[in-house]
Amino acid sequence: MNIISYPDLSSRPHSLTVERVMENSIDVLYEAWTKRFGDWFAAPGSVIMKAEVNSVFFFETHFEDKRHPHYGRFLKLEHNQLVEITWFTSGSKTETVVTVEFSTNESGAAVIRLTHAGFSDELSRDQHEQAWPMVLEQLDRRMKELA
């Protein structure tokens, strides 16, 4: 039996939640978060990822001619319902937790609710709160283009 070690977020109480109605199906969106990071988020060829609880992953992004490595671990996986991962970047310098919940709204459209917890200060949280909606928009657009 594997022990899943959750980060202690008690001294880092700042978190954010963003929600977006998506054009893609939940199947496509779940797969994007577990198997296709290189198609929408990560720099091509940089992803090392196996979607299993307690498995580690790595990828990098390139922004403004700089390399940004991202590391983490899968904490929970519930097929087409939930992905929970730790999230560590050189910018944050601490292990945070990203929880992505998949559902449908009253009209049947897929909805992503993303919670990012464990920020040590409001500035870092606020920067991520501005970035995540753009990331989710990019996810929806790229997966639609690749369909």
Side-chain angles (χ1 to χ4, degrees), residues 67-86:
R67 177 182 169 267
H68 300 276
H70 293 66
Y71 303 85
R73 298 175 290 118
F74 285 95
L75 298 173
K76 286 183 186 175
L77 291 167
E78 297 174 16
H79 186 73
N80 286 356
Q81 293 178 28
L82 180 123
V83 173
E84 187 170 63
I85 57 178
T86 63

Side-chain angles (χ1 to χ4, degrees), residues 1-110:
M1 180 172 123
N2 286 338
I3 296 173
I4 301 165
S5 175
Y6 277 79
D8 179 4
L9 306 180
S10 61
S11 65
R12 297 179 277 127
H14 302 284
S15 66
L16 65 91
T17 299
V18 296
E19 206 169 278
R20 178 179 167 87
V21 176
M22 308 293 277
E23 291 184 37
N24 288 279
S25 71
I26 289 176
D27 288 339
V28 168
L29 298 168
Y30 182 85
E31 187 172 280
W33 278 94
T34 57
K35 297 177 183 168
R36 297 181 64 188
F37 245 73
D39 287 343
W40 67 277
F41 196 104
S46 71
V47 179
I48 302 168
M49 180 180 280
K50 185 175 185 181
E52 292 180 359
V53 172
N54 246 5
S55 180
V56 298
F57 63 83
F58 166 84
F59 66 90
E60 61 186 35
T61 59
H62 298 155
F63 182 69
E64 296 178 349
D65 294 325
K66 292 184 182 172
R67 177 182 169 267
H68 300 276
H70 293 66
Y71 303 85
R73 298 175 290 118
F74 285 95
L75 298 173
K76 286 183 186 175
L77 291 167
E78 297 174 16
H79 186 73
N80 286 356
Q81 293 178 28
L82 180 123
V83 173
E84 187 170 63
I85 57 178
T86 63
W87 190 264
F88 184 90
T89 68
S90 57
S92 65
K93 297 180 179 62
T94 187
E95 191 177 42
T96 58
V97 175
V98 174
T99 304
V100 183
E101 299 169 272
F102 306 91
S103 63
T104 55
N105 64 14
E106 59 282 346
S107 65

Side-chain angles (χ1 to χ4, degrees), residues 33 40-41 114 130-140:
W33 278 94
W40 67 277
F41 196 104
L114 182 145
Q130 291 176 10
W132 277 118
M134 292 182 286
V135 170
L136 294 179
E137 179 184 355
Q138 176 175 297
L139 160 62
D140 211 20

